[in-house]
């Protein structure tokens, strides 16, 4: 029996990109059906993450074709929550889902390989970039630094993998048992522990529109991932505090010795540097601890990740 596959695509202000995405995903879906790789009941699920442009109108228009389905969130909930909304809806109907971004920079031609790996018994198939030739030096450097930093902090993460992946129904059901409000799917999914593999691909240039992940958002996303999965930053701050304590004792002993020898000189520079350095370290420590407390605050409130305002699908099926 052919697998019923749902493709989950989060969208935020993608009116420039969507006509191309709808066309290409329709062609790809039809190709997979004709190749007898997936069931003809498979669908492309667009999740409108509170867009302010014509994104939802374009999605609704696309759902005249029974192969497309639209989910409209009541507000902008963020990329990770939009993915969860799409997967949470799809798990009831599909055998597996494939998540990808609306800009189609992730090569959809390797979807065939995803399906074949699923048929071989893999529950999780990660799409991994084979290189970063299309990135600027700065973006390549920061991305590689991010993955190294995550691993240094003990976070289990697949190198050069974003959110292009296949999840089986079993993996989806396991994923839905996670109740975290601070979502970082790249770190959560490896914790599921089911049989997984990797498919490599070349990332394409964006055809239209602008990236929804400028530097500020990328840094925020990286910090979110680190603080959601590792307490090592707090341990490092504790170690730094301990070293500062030892250093202060050494400076105290030095000052006493200099006083006894009669060589004490008022050191404005050293005093100022010490005050600013220790003060800065304390502020960083307080900010970091506050970040963790903030996450605890969010988790304790147990607020819903998203609200689905509307679902659009082929009128004949409703």
């Amino acid at each position: 029996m052919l697998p019923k596959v749902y493709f989950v695509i989060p969208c935020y202000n993608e009116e420039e990109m969507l006509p191309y995405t709808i066309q290409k995903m329709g062609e790809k879906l039809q190709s997979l059906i004709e190749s007898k790789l997936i069931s003809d009941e498979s669908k492309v699920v667009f999740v409108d993450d509170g867009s302010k442009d014509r994104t939802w109108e374009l999605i609704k228009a696309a759902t005249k074709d029974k192969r497309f389905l639209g989910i409209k969130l009541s507000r902008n909930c963020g990329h990770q929550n939009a993915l969860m909304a799409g997967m949470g809806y799809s798990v009831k109907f599909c055998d597996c889902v494939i998540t990808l971004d609306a800009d189609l920079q992730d090569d959809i031609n390797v979807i065939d390989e995803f399906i074949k790996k699923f048929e071989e018994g893999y529950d999780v198939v990660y799409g991994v970039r084979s290189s970063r030739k299309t990135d600027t030096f700065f973006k390549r450097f920061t991305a590689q630094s991010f993955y190294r930093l995550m691993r240094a902090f003990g976070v289990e993460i697949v190198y050069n993998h974003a959110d292009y992946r296949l999840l089986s129904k079993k993996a989806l059901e396991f994923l839905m048992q996670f109740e975290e409000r601070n979502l970082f799917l790249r770190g959560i999914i490896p914790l599921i522990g089911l049989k997984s593999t990797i498919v490599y691909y070349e990332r394409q240039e964006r055809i239209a529109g602008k990236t929804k992940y400028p530097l500020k958002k990328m840094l925020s996303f990286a910090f979110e991932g680190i603080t959601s999965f590792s307490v090592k930053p707090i341990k490092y701050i504790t170690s730094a505090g301990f070293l500062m304590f030892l250093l202060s004792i050494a400076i105290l002993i030095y000052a006493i010795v200099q006083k006894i020898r009669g060589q004490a000189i008022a050191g404005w520079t050293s005093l100022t540097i010490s005050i600013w350095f220790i003060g800065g370290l304390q502020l960083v420590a307080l900010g970091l601890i506050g970040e963790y407390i903030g996450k605890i605050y969010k988790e304790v409130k147990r607020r819903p990740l998203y609200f689905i305002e509307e679902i659009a699908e082929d009128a004949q099926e409703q």
Side-chain angles (χ1 to χ4, degrees):
M1 187 174 178
L2 297 177
K4 188 189 297 184
V5 183
Y6 273 46
F7 299 86
V8 175
I9 304 178
C11 307
Y12 178 67
N13 293 343
E14 292 285 3
E15 69 173 344
E16 293 180 55
M17 189 69 207
L18 263 178
Y20 176 82
T21 304
I22 291 167
Q23 177 192 342
K24 288 299 179 183
M25 287 305 301
E27 292 172 358
K28 187 61 185 177
L29 191 64
Q30 191 60 36
S31 170
L32 292 168
I33 292 171
E34 290 174 358
S35 301
K36 303 295 183 184
L37 284 175
I38 64 175
S39 165
D40 59 5
E41 295 181 20
S42 299
K43 290 182 182 291
V44 177
V45 181
F46 291 106
V47 183
D48 179 20
D49 186 22
S51 298
K52 297 179 176 63
D53 59 7
R54 296 179 56 252
T55 294
W56 180 241
E57 295 175 36
L58 294 171
I59 292 173
K60 285 188 74 173
T63 59
K64 293 176 182 178
D65 183 332
K66 68 176 184 178
R67 300 173 301 172
F68 297 104
L69 185 145
I71 297 174
K72 186 181 191 303
L73 303 187
S74 60
R75 56 181 291 273
N76 179 238
C77 300
H79 181 267
Q80 301 291 279
N81 290 333
L83 279 175
M84 284 296 286
M87 291 188 291
Y89 176 86
S90 302
V91 67
K92 302 187 288 284
F93 309 104
C94 69
D95 296 310
C96 64
V97 301
I98 294 176
T99 60
L100 65 160
D101 291 338
D103 56 23
L104 294 193
Q105 288 185 265
D106 299 319
D107 185 9
I108 61 174
N109 292 317
V110 299
I111 288 175
D112 306 60
E113 289 299 315
F114 279 42
I115 305 298
K116 290 173 183 176
K117 294 295 183 183
F118 172 70
E119 294 285 11
E120 290 173 15
Y122 291 97
D123 289 289
V124 182
V125 182
Y126 297 105
V128 174
R129 295 178 64 172
S130 55
S131 68
R132 286 187 169 270
K133 294 184 293 185
T134 57
D135 289 351
T136 61
F137 170 78
F138 178 75
K139 188 172 183 180
R140 183 165 56 250
F141 173 77
T142 52
Q144 291 172 345
S145 299
F146 164 71
Y147 286 108
R148 293 191 183 110
L149 190 63
M150 291 291 283
R151 286 183 174 178
F153 284 141
V155 181
E156 188 178 349
I157 190 170
V158 178
Y159 189 72
N160 271 345
H161 165 69
D163 288 298
Y164 189 26
R165 66 177 76 88
L166 177 148
L167 296 174
S168 69
K169 190 180 187 74
K170 181 190 291 186
L172 278 173
E173 289 171 346
F174 285 3
L175 176 61
M176 295 304 153
Q177 294 180 41
F178 284 85
E179 299 181 349
E180 293 164 58
R181 268 50 191 165
N182 300 287
L183 281 178
F184 184 68
L185 293 174
R186 300 180 202 184
I188 291 176
I189 289 171
L191 298 179
I192 293 174
L194 294 174
K195 189 178 180 182
S196 65
T197 188
I198 288 172
V199 170
Y200 292 96
Y201 69 95
E202 287 285 346
R203 191 167 171 81
Q204 312 297 315
E205 295 285 351
R206 180 180 256 269
I207 301 297
K210 297 179 180 178
T211 177
K212 303 306 181 292
Y213 267 88
L215 179 61
K216 183 179 178 181
K217 272 197 173 182
M218 287 174 63
L219 292 174
S220 175
F221 186 65
F223 192 64
E224 179 80 18
I226 291 169
T227 54
S228 293
F229 280 87
S230 176
V231 294
K232 282 192 177 182
I234 289 182
K235 293 181 179 179
Y236 290 154
I237 288 291
T238 303
S239 300
F242 182 69
L243 289 174
M244 288 300 300
F245 173 70
L246 295 179
L247 181 61
S248 66
I249 292 176
I251 292 174
L252 176 63
I253 294 172
Y254 172 77
I256 292 173
V257 171
Q258 290 295 90
K259 181 71 174 177
I260 293 172
R261 294 173 63 183
Q263 296 178 357
I265 300 175
W268 169 256
T269 303
S270 60
L271 179 62
T272 303
I273 291 173
S274 298
I275 292 173
W276 278 95
F277 180 73
I278 294 172
L281 186 63
Q282 288 174 330
L283 288 174
V284 169
L286 286 172
L288 186 59
I289 293 169
E291 181 70 21
Y292 278 98
I293 292 173
K295 288 187 180 295
I296 295 170
Y297 177 63
K298 286 182 180 179
E299 293 290 342
V300 168
K301 286 189 291 186
R302 315 304 298 164
R303 287 180 177 173
L305 295 175
Y306 54 84
F307 291 104
I308 295 177
E309 180 180 337
E310 185 179 349
I311 294 176
E313 56 185 323
D314 180 35
Q316 296 178 358
E317 296 186 351
Q318 294 177 348

